[in-house]
Amino acid sequence: MMGVPRDLVLAVDVGGGTTKGEVTAADGAVLAAETIETPYGEAAFDAIEDLGARLLDGLPADCRDRVARAAVILPGLVDPEHAIAVFSSNLGWRNVKLGSRFADRWGIPALIDHDVTVAGWAEWRHGAGRGVDDVCVLIMGTGISGTLSVGGRLVRTPPGRTGVAQAGEYGHIPVRYRDGLPCPCGNVGCVETVASGPAIARAYAARTGRETSSAETVFAAAGTDPIARAVVDDAVDALAAGLLGVLHASCPELVVLGGGLARAGDLLTEALHTRLTELLRVTPVPRVVLSEFGIRAGLIGAAHLARAGSLR
């Protein structure tokens, strides 16, 4: 329609438990939003289609024509260039060729990309890392992964290399070779086996015999409970050890911590900065800060991706 501004975008963030969708304006104002449970297997993609359609159809008539583009971000392995959901162990899909199905259903161009890559890019370009060319972003929760930006460019898996891990799998760097725990990836002693949310909760339960609901509980108790403090210190040590090679190779100026574990706040950032200061000798110690977008980084990133048209 001539004269109608195309200033709105549709963003969809697909997670292992829930899928979130929003229609937003350029200033970040949310015009429509909905969260659904993510179905298992390929049924998830039907649910994504329906979610986007409901959000678009529910807009006022004068807004629907203003939606310019959509972006859908997915977990696991993703081939953005060919719009393929390559693999997700948690959601049970493999080599799903999405093609133009979302664009056809919604009537607007739709981009596909990797959830953590987009979340880390958003934190770098628009959040805690904006204005800095060399940034490492860690998204920490059930797993640990992130992004690396060097010289103002995002490091990505080369286009077309399907079936390989996304760049930024920090959680699968082995740091406990001899006495580590088995990792689902097949290795032993990966960072995730010590420093992920579930690993921290399991370690505390193993040392105390008391089950805990989350890593946040362990962080909250670290100020008064010496066992909780020891578990946190062990997790921070593993995280720092996993970062050493990255820091020596690329010398980022800034490390940004996001995801659910970032709710630990200054306790986590200060402990990691202290440990890196103890370990680094020939490489400058980067600043360590909390993410600006928190657990909404993926959804905000998807909106920025839809608006920009690419990760740039």
Side-chain angles (χ1 to χ4, degrees), residues 201-281:
R202 285 194 299 267
Y204 184 77
R207 295 191 191 197
T208 64
R210 301 192 300 271
E211 293 295 327
T212 180
S213 58
S214 69
E216 291 180 46
T217 304
V218 181
F219 275 100
T224 56
D225 181 342
I227 296 178
R229 183 74 223 193
V231 170
V232 168
D233 287 345
D234 199 31
V236 169
D237 181 70
L239 187 61
L243 282 173
L244 285 181
V246 176
L247 299 182
H248 280 91
S250 60
C251 295
E253 179 182 340
L254 185 67
V255 173
V256 178
L257 304 181
L261 280 186
R263 292 203 256 316
D266 292 344
L267 172 61
L268 179 58
T269 57
E270 291 174 5
L272 180 58
H273 187 268
T274 297
R275 187 60 181 139
L276 290 176
T277 301
E278 293 169 350
L279 294 172
L280 292 171
R281 292 291 180 271

Side-chain angles (χ1 to χ4, degrees), residues 20-171:
K20 303 176 180 65
E22 289 183 350
V23 176
T24 59
D27 63 358
V30 178
L31 282 72
E34 185 179 342
T35 299
I36 61 171
E37 291 188 6
T38 305
Y40 187 79
E42 294 189 28
F45 302 108
D46 295 327
I48 295 166
E49 281 190 41
D50 293 341
L51 171 62
R54 283 195 302 275
L55 289 170
L56 294 171
D57 293 344
L59 293 172
D62 62 342
C63 291
R64 177 62 181 85
D65 291 334
R66 291 167 52 192
V67 183
R69 193 184 287 120
V72 178
I73 59 173
L74 305 171
L77 303 182
V78 184
D79 179 354
E81 184 181 24
H82 300 101
I84 299 173
V86 178
F87 177 69
S88 171
S89 59
N90 292 331
L91 289 170
W93 64 57
R94 183 184 292 274
N95 292 325
V96 180
K97 296 181 179 179
L98 299 172
S100 63
R101 65 183 292 177
F102 299 136
D104 293 343
R105 176 73 182 277
W106 300 334
I108 53 176
L111 304 171
I112 309 295
D113 217 307
H114 183 242
D115 57 353
V116 172
T117 300
V118 171
W121 168 79
E123 281 291 352
W124 167 49
R125 280 299 197 194
H126 305 282
R130 64 181 174 274
V132 182
D133 283 344
D134 303 295
V135 178
C136 175
V137 179
L138 295 181
I139 307 297
M140 307 169 59
T142 303
I144 299 173
S145 57
T147 59
L148 180 66
S149 305
V150 180
R153 299 186 66 179
L154 181 69
V155 177
R156 295 214 65 179
T157 304
R161 288 184 60 192
T162 58
V164 299
Q166 308 292 146
E169 292 288 356
Y170 302 110

